[in-house]
Amino acid sequence: MTTDPHLLDDLEWRGLVAHATDRDALREALTADSVRFYVGFDPTAPSLHMGNLVQLLTARRLQQAGHTPYALVGGATGMIGDPRDSGERTLNSRDTVKEWVGRVRSQIEPFLEFDGPTGATMVDNYDWTASLSTIDFLRDIGKHFPVNRMLARDVVRSRLEAGISYTEFSYVLLQSMDFLNLHRDHGVTLQFGGSDQWGNLTGGVELIRRAEGGHAHAFATPLVTKADGTKYGKTEGGALWLDPQMLSPYAFHQFWLNVEDEKVGELLRIFTFLSREEIEELDVATAEQPFRRAAQKRLADEVTTLVHGAAETEQAKAAAAALFGGGELRDLDPGTLAAALREAGAATATVGTPTVDLLVASGLVKSKGEARRTITEGGAYLNNERVTDVDHVPGLEDLLGGSWLVLRRGKKNLAGVEVG
């Protein structure tokens, strides 16, 4: 397979190269032949998240351009965890990490092709780390790392006053050793990761030079943040998980649908495979008619389809439309309906609870008096049907998916009630 000579230009246009060891050398390597590259994922949680998705899609771009991926799941490094500014990680048990390794592997697999001349290879650094003796590790790896260079890393420097364990301090040695092993055993010459990994990425390049006299490359993708510079997440401090059990496809779709106008062009470049022309047309649409949210709609559809499939994307769109009167609620998949209502805000109630009380319990109104006025004025809806009787009590026949009611006040204020 021939390589795409325009790959680095495309990556840079998409804003995917925040740092690189030597851009000219990297361009020459990517143009000259099929490069074997690797990207790593530590199983420090039971699911990958939005930040990992940047790396998965970047790996896919490189493979589509004719290069050969090695996807590393850190069965060893996942037991330690990369240092964070916020403090020491909680160490997970070997059994927990082993389970998460399996889950992470299954999330990586759909994004890469494993057959053909550039077929991907999945590796686990536990395989070459578990049997390594402490003496060999210190002699063969540790001797190549000056302590002053390790102390100069931003995350280490920020943690020195509060304290950092030797375990996390040594993480850079383990990740660098991964690159060295893949270079020796598989001819891997390129590693990439998030810009918060830059110290680890360059550590591996330097280790290959010092230990082998070899030459390798690295580049870092930017950290994706909101317009105000804070991290993205489903909630403040929460992650945008790829596992549908941890974050429903509906909630996932809604996240992308609601990104800021200032960021939607950047996210289209990073997270979709749309062409430059298509994205620039959407940039114009956002600038000229932002209220139509054409770019956000396309972004939400593209990314949800990449992660969860086209069927889940259509279910998410159908649910959003039906909740606000644009479709038939009873046609929705029960799981999608439940996820959508929990995302909108859900209360619980027992069979036979009057609609007035349900409106209060759902938070759509503050009192029974306000609930009665809302019904009298024609502003209360149950399952998209206007409620006209202040004494109305929903029956079993009103339950959607066996246990749900959809309440709405006016056009835009929505809540779900789970009846049990």
Side-chain angles (χ1 to χ4, degrees):
M1 179 182 288
T2 58
T3 60
D4 180 356
H6 305 295
L7 170 62
L8 190 58
D9 292 333
D10 183 63
L11 293 176
E12 290 182 328
W13 176 78
R14 292 178 182 275
L16 283 168
V17 185
H19 312 290
T21 45
D22 182 330
R23 294 198 187 207
D24 291 338
L26 177 60
R27 180 182 298 277
E28 183 179 349
L30 291 172
T31 305
D33 201 355
S34 178
V35 168
R36 296 186 178 191
F37 68 90
Y38 103 89
V39 58
F41 303 90
D42 274 348
T44 53
S47 172
L48 298 178
H49 53 70
M50 178 184 183
N52 303 128
L53 184 59
V54 178
Q55 313 312 326
L56 286 172
L57 298 181
T58 302
R60 184 165 172 166
R61 295 182 201 282
L62 265 68
Q63 186 178 38
Q64 289 180 346
H67 303 287
T68 305
Y70 284 75
L72 183 148
V73 182
T77 44
M79 295 181 66
I80 293 172
D82 196 23
R84 301 176 301 180
D85 291 331
S86 57
E88 287 284 318
R89 293 178 182 270
T90 301
L91 298 183
N92 296 299
S93 70
R94 184 169 299 176
D95 288 343
T96 296
V97 173
K98 186 176 181 180
E99 177 193 346
W100 290 353
V101 164
R103 295 180 64 159
V104 168
R105 287 175 67 102
S106 68
Q107 287 184 325
I108 293 171
E109 286 170 351
F111 289 91
L112 300 172
E113 294 291 335
F114 287 82
D115 297 317
T118 61
T121 300
M122 195 88 74
V123 294
D124 183 344
N125 58 19
Y126 190 81
D127 293 342
W128 58 78
T129 305
S131 61
L132 184 66
S133 75
T134 304
I135 295 298
D136 288 341
F137 177 68
L138 292 174
R139 284 176 56 88
D140 298 340
I141 305 300
K143 69 177 180 179
H144 296 297
F145 284 83
V147 171
N148 61 322
R149 290 277 297 277
M150 296 172 69
L151 288 170
R153 295 180 62 209
D154 289 342
V155 68
V156 172
R157 194 166 59 245
S158 69
R159 289 272 302 280
L160 283 178
E161 186 172 337
I164 181 171
S165 69
Y166 181 75
T167 300
E168 290 196 2
F169 179 67
S170 302
Y171 181 93
V172 62
L173 277 69
L174 291 173
Q175 185 169 325
S176 299
M177 185 176 68
D178 291 342
F179 200 175
L180 177 62
N181 273 276
L182 290 172
H183 179 75
R184 285 173 170 168
D185 297 344
H186 299 280
V188 172
T189 57
L190 169 64
Q191 181 189 181
F192 68 87
S195 58
D196 58 340
Q197 293 286 307
W198 186 237
N200 297 329
L201 300 175
T202 55
V205 170
E206 183 68 9
L207 179 60
I208 289 170
R209 185 188 69 80
R210 287 172 176 261
E212 296 282 293
H215 187 67
H217 310 276
F219 73 88
T221 60
L223 296 183
V224 183
T225 61
K226 298 179 185 177
D228 63 6
T230 59
K231 290 184 178 181
Y232 274 114
K234 177 176 178 282
T235 58
E236 189 64 32
L240 192 77
W241 302 111
L242 305 190
D243 187 326
Q245 301 303 314
M246 295 175 68
L247 183 71
S248 72
Y250 174 86
F252 188 86
H253 188 270
Q254 285 290 306
F255 165 82
W256 300 99
L257 200 59
N258 288 297
V259 299
E260 313 101 312
D261 290 344
E262 301 94 322
K263 299 293 288 186
V264 67
E266 174 188 330
L267 299 182
L268 279 165
R269 286 161 172 77
I270 293 173
F271 289 100
T272 78
F273 288 83
L274 297 180
S275 69
R276 184 168 184 162
E277 292 73 22
E278 289 174 296
I279 292 174
E280 288 177 344
E281 286 178 8
L282 289 166
D283 288 343
V284 172
T286 298
E288 295 181 349
Q289 295 182 310
F291 59 92
R292 293 190 181 278
R293 303 187 70 75
Q296 282 91 342
K297 291 175 183 176
R298 189 66 186 277
L299 174 67
D301 290 355
E302 291 288 327
V303 185
T304 306
T305 298
L306 280 169
V307 175
H308 296 297
E312 289 289 359
T313 300
E314 292 308 310
Q315 284 280 0
K317 292 165 68 175
L323 290 176
F324 292 97
E328 178 52 57
L329 287 167
R330 294 189 183 276
D331 291 342
L332 295 179
D333 171 75
T336 302
L337 174 65
L341 292 175
R342 291 190 180 104
E343 185 69 14
T348 57
T350 57
V351 176
T353 303
T355 301
V356 164
D357 293 325
L358 294 176
L359 287 167
V360 176
S362 67
L364 291 175
V365 298
K366 294 181 179 179
S367 66
K368 289 185 179 182
E370 185 180 355
R372 293 188 184 96
R373 285 194 302 273
T374 300
I375 293 172
T376 302
E377 294 168 0
Y381 296 82
L382 177 74
N383 297 345
N384 288 336
E385 297 290 334
R386 181 177 278 118
V387 179
T388 57
D389 181 1
V390 294
D391 296 319
H392 179 264
V393 178
L396 292 175
E397 69 278 4
D398 293 312
L399 297 181
L400 303 170
S403 60
W404 287 95
L405 297 170
V406 178
L407 291 173
R408 184 156 46 89
R409 180 171 64 83
K411 292 183 178 181
K412 296 183 178 180
N413 298 302
L414 179 81
V417 176
E418 188 170 14
V419 179

